[in-house]
Amino acid sequence: MSNWVDKRLNEFKRSLDKYLHLLKGGRIDVDKAALVERVELELVEELRNTGKCNGGLQDILGSLESTGWLEKAFHKVAESLNAEVPGGINVRDALQSFLTGNMEDAGANIIAVVVQAVARCVAEKRLEEEGVRDAQTPFCPVCGAESKTMVVRDAGYHMVCPFCGYEWRVSRDKVICPYCGNSNPISIGVFTDKARRIGLMVCQECGATWRTIMDRNIKAPRILLPVISLGAEAFRKFLHEDMLGGGEKTS
């Protein structure tokens, strides 16, 4: 394992251990999460070193498939995760199953790890070159995945993609609903713990909800922030029609 992968993996493990308690009873297989992270980081490093992270995700995936890299990475992931691969499996079919959400199909879960590594590489490259950009949407500008994770920092409200880790700024100074653009603080409520570390926000105008990491002191790899924010799901039981948009609630 290279120094780059080792450093990133250690940061991942430390952050996971430090903030796991915020999941409030949620379950996560720490060893498996660390194993998948190692495998993905190794793929990301390989892609970075060969300069294959430039451009749009779909074009990059097409190029990686045509050169045989995607198939090689598929078998590497399967071996590293000790996953059984049915004989004669077609990587293109596995990719299609993943892209269409048919995760029960053979190979879909394995190719998902590969695609996530590619998407993470593209996201990191774009953030390094462009920084955090403005985009008032809950859908990731890099991979299209829907984000339910908002992070408060740098006098702004940012969304973080749960799939590739890309980060974009929805608004500055005050929270805005990423779904409908509502900026009225009276009709955007938040259910939070007493320490105001994480919260569940709800927009009265459109009914959308999203999780928010409110504690600016939480430092973790971007790919982990959506996992940490899952602790806010514990507040969903407080969502009632008479509370929507009713300001701030603590539990």
Side-chain angles (χ1 to χ4, degrees):
M1 192 159 41
S2 72
N3 290 335
W4 185 86
V5 171
D6 187 58
K7 180 180 178 181
R8 294 280 297 268
L9 184 58
N10 285 336
E11 182 186 9
F12 180 89
K13 290 178 179 178
R14 287 196 303 268
S15 297
L16 191 57
D17 181 63
K18 184 175 181 179
Y19 299 117
L20 194 60
H21 68 283
L22 291 178
L23 289 178
K24 297 182 181 296
R27 294 288 182 265
I28 181 171
D29 188 328
V30 176
D31 292 334
K32 183 177 181 179
L35 175 59
V36 173
E37 179 66 5
R38 178 182 64 78
V39 172
E40 288 194 4
L41 285 174
E42 289 176 350
L43 292 178
V44 171
E45 182 182 42
E46 180 180 342
L47 290 167
R48 288 171 62 93
N49 290 341
T50 54
K52 295 179 179 178
C53 296
N54 297 309
L57 180 58
Q58 291 295 334
D59 290 339
I60 293 173
L61 285 174
S63 175
L64 292 174
E65 182 188 2
S66 65
T67 60
W69 185 92
L70 214 60
E71 182 168 5
K72 184 176 71 172
F74 176 89
H75 290 290
K76 176 182 178 179
V77 169
E79 181 180 357
S80 299
L81 300 183
N82 197 27
E84 291 188 13
V85 179
I89 187 171
N90 187 301
V91 174
R92 178 175 292 183
D93 290 342
L95 178 61
Q96 184 62 27
S97 295
F98 165 70
L99 294 175
T100 55
N102 299 319
M103 300 305 294
E104 298 299 321
D105 289 358
N109 286 313
I110 300 173
I111 200 66
V113 175
V114 178
V115 176
Q116 184 171 28
V118 177
R120 288 176 64 176
C121 188
V122 175
E124 288 190 9
K125 185 70 173 178
R126 189 173 297 186
L127 283 168
E128 289 172 2
E129 295 180 347
E130 303 176 359
V132 175
R133 307 297 292 268
D134 294 318
Q136 190 180 295
T137 175
F139 298 100
C140 178
V142 169
C143 69
E146 181 180 5
S147 173
K148 286 285 188 178
T149 302
M150 179 175 280
V151 180
V152 183
R153 62 177 166 210
D154 300 330
Y157 295 83
H158 301 201
M159 301 301 288
V160 178
C161 179
F163 188 71
C164 71
Y166 186 69
E167 179 176 338
W168 63 101
R169 183 171 46 235
V170 174
S171 60
R172 302 172 187 265
D173 302 323
K174 65 178 181 179
V175 64
I176 290 179
C177 175
Y179 288 87
C180 71
N182 173 32
S183 61
N184 185 348
I186 297 177
S187 57
I188 296 181
V190 57
F191 299 86
T192 178
D193 59 338
K194 292 180 180 179
R196 289 181 56 81
R197 305 203 77 187
I198 55 177
L200 182 67
M201 287 191 170
V202 55
C203 175
Q204 185 181 23
E205 294 297 319
C206 67
T209 62
W210 61 95
R211 301 177 289 271
T212 306
I213 295 180
M214 307 174 73
D215 187 346
R216 299 172 187 266
N217 293 319
I218 290 179
K219 306 295 183 183
R222 285 189 177 94
I223 202 67
L224 256 186
L225 294 175
V227 177
I228 296 170
S229 76
L230 285 172
E233 287 298 314
F235 309 131
R236 193 168 292 279
K237 60 186 177 183
F238 299 114
L239 282 178
H240 303 293
E241 289 187 8
D242 59 334
M243 291 184 178
L244 290 180
E248 188 168 299
K249 311 288 191 305
T250 60
S251 63

